[in-house]
Amino acid sequence: YGGIATHYIKSERIDDMVKDLESKSVEEHDKIGDCAASVLMSYHEDPGQEDSFLARHQDVIDQTFQDKESVEDIIVALEALGPESKFGTKTLDSLKKMSPTSLKLTLESLRRGKELPTIAECLRMEYRMSQVCMREGSDFYEGIRAVLVDKDHSPNWEPSRLEDVSDEAIEIFFQSLGEEDLDFEEEHEKISKM
């Protein structure tokens, strides 16, 4: 429904599909073209729209997320649905548990990614974000501590409130990493020489 995947394969058929993919040889690929596509299509099924969470909630998703300028605007729109909205209540509960920095970073990355002309540029942007997220003292480590280490499920986000996350703090995630930046041309050259 979201248009993200190219094929839908039921979980119970994945092992068989993998075996079929593994059995295809390079020679077969040369004769028939992309052998992976033919195997995937042989297992692909129409997932149908009726079971899609997104399809069932598309109107309220559009109402509360589409064209919102900030995470704070999204929160206000979700709160406006009232306590009778199961979708609104559950979504608010989830968002309120998350890192305020990560929420703002996610929204900004979606905006920027939509405008980038190539997958390489999107991957470079995401790589930069991941590297900043992995810096010592980040909310990433606090989330791991709260869920996996201490298992108290009480992260101490820094900052702890959305309104305290500045635009400047988010901009850091998108800055060049200099020599550490992802360089697809350099990586392509390395692979070509192998």
Side-chain angles (χ1 to χ4, degrees):
Y1 179 79
I4 297 170
T6 57
H7 297 81
Y8 173 77
I9 300 165
K10 289 188 174 181
S11 299
E12 60 268 15
R13 298 187 72 203
I14 298 254
D15 289 339
D16 291 336
M17 184 224 31
V18 169
K19 286 177 190 169
D20 281 356
L21 280 171
E22 291 171 343
S23 72
K24 294 293 181 184
S25 68
V26 174
E27 292 82 24
E28 287 179 273
H29 169 69
D30 290 339
K31 290 177 191 170
I32 63 170
D34 184 358
C35 66
S38 64
V39 171
L40 292 172
M41 279 309 296
S42 71
Y43 286 89
H44 172 73
E45 297 179 30
D46 182 356
Q49 304 283 336
E50 64 279 351
D51 292 334
S52 169
F53 175 86
L54 293 176
R56 288 192 317 271
H57 296 92
Q58 189 64 61
D59 290 342
V60 72
I61 290 169
D62 290 346
Q63 176 187 344
T64 53
F65 286 84
Q66 192 172 33
D67 300 323
K68 299 300 183 266
E69 293 295 317
S70 67
V71 177
E72 290 90 340
D73 290 345
I74 293 168
I75 300 288
V76 168
L78 288 165
E79 288 172 340
L81 295 175
E84 63 278 358
S85 169
K86 186 176 178 182
F87 173 85
T89 302
K90 287 182 81 173
T91 304
L92 273 171
D93 289 346
S94 293
L95 292 178
K96 288 179 179 181
K97 292 176 186 174
M98 296 178 183
S99 157
T101 301
S102 293
L103 289 171
K104 287 195 171 188
L105 175 61
T106 300
L107 183 60
E108 184 60 24
S109 69
L110 290 170
R111 284 195 180 120
R112 290 184 187 215
K114 186 170 72 171
E115 302 301 322
L116 294 175
T118 66
I119 187 71
E121 290 185 51
C122 286
L123 292 171
R124 185 174 295 111
M125 177 188 74
E126 290 187 6
Y127 179 76
R128 288 173 178 172
M129 291 169 26
S130 73
Q131 296 308 292
V132 177
C133 285
M134 296 303 294
R135 291 181 181 162
E136 190 173 334
S138 75
D139 278 353
F140 176 79
Y141 291 105
E142 178 58 17
I144 289 175
R145 182 211 58 78
V147 174
L148 300 175
V149 178
D150 296 342
K151 299 180 182 175
D152 61 11
H153 296 275
S154 297
N156 297 308
W157 306 126
E158 186 56 46
S160 61
R161 301 178 322 149
L162 282 168
E163 57 269 23
D164 294 333
V165 180
S166 68
D167 292 342
E168 294 78 20
I170 297 304
E171 186 61 36
I172 291 168
F173 289 86
F174 299 98
Q175 294 175 350
S176 171
L177 300 173
E179 290 183 15
E180 299 299 316
D181 233 343
L182 197 56
D183 184 348
F184 288 100
E185 290 177 25
E186 182 181 307
E187 293 301 317
H188 180 68
E189 288 175 22
K190 286 179 190 175
I191 293 169
S192 299
K193 292 177 183 177
M194 295 178 139

